[in-house]
Amino acid sequence: NAGVTQTPKFQVLKTGQSMTLQCAQDMNHNSMYWYRQDPGMGLRLIYYSASEGTTDKGEVPNGYNVSRLNKREFSLRLESAAPSQTSVYFCASSEDRGVGYTFGSGTRLTVV
Amino acid sequence: QKEVEQNSGPLSVPEGAIASLNCTYSDRVSQSFFWYRQYSGKSPELIMSIYSNGDKEDGRFTAQLNKASQYVSLLIRDSQPSDSATYLCAVKTLTGSDQFYFGTGTSLTVIP
């Protein structure tokens, strides 16, 4: 049982480049989330999807887009990367929005 | 004011002692409360959830919730060196987009 799988684990981008972070879960969870974690800031929600076909903005959505491709997959896209987007990104899923999350292993992104 | 506040620590306790971790939150209508453990360089792992006032015990862990005082705590009995990690408090609130808010975490070191 893989749980939540994120790819890639590490990435270095140049300012202005684009990339997509992939996330897939095999627990048949309805809700999926993208967070970023920065020192001293804690985990902050970027976007979430309460169910297949729906997405909503979280606390820090600017500069990001998401796609809930199907029930299993939820991707995060950076269209034009900026140094301020250097962070560790975590995907998470939950059975519904009232219960705790299962997190993926994270993506360490550096924008230079 | 942050939605969820934690003392960043570091908190050091000797092996076998009780570690006490505290968290306060600002939204009185918060509904669900969670504690996550995060080892350095790893993703957060859910260890406890609590939804109603009082204590909830799971092995060596006890979560305590006091909604009137707006705090939630985590007690770790018989602390072990393997408990050394950062502990994140998360609160589900109805403020804004009905999302979870995470504290910045408390770093715990258990000294052998």
Side-chain angles (χ1 to χ4, degrees), chain A residues 93-108:
Chain A
S93 70
S94 67
E95 192 170 343
D96 65 48
R97 284 191 287 170
V99 301
Y101 300 160
T102 299
F103 282 89
S105 58
T107 296
R108 289 189 176 275

Side-chain angles (χ1 to χ4, degrees), chain A residues 47-102:
Chain A
Y47 271 93
Y48 67 99
S49 171
S51 61
E52 184 179 353
T54 68
T55 61
D56 286 286
K57 295 179 180 179
E59 186 181 355
V60 288
N62 292 342
Y64 306 95
N65 286 300
V66 290
S67 295
R68 184 75 182 266
L69 304 171
N70 48 55
K71 191 171 185 178
R72 291 186 64 248
E73 299 174 288
F74 188 39
S75 62
L76 178 71
R77 182 161 178 83
L78 286 71
E79 291 291 351
S80 178
S84 61
Q85 294 178 304
T86 293
S87 187
V88 179
Y89 291 85
F90 288 104
C91 178
S93 70
S94 67
E95 192 170 343
D96 65 48
R97 284 191 287 170
V99 301
Y101 300 160
T102 299

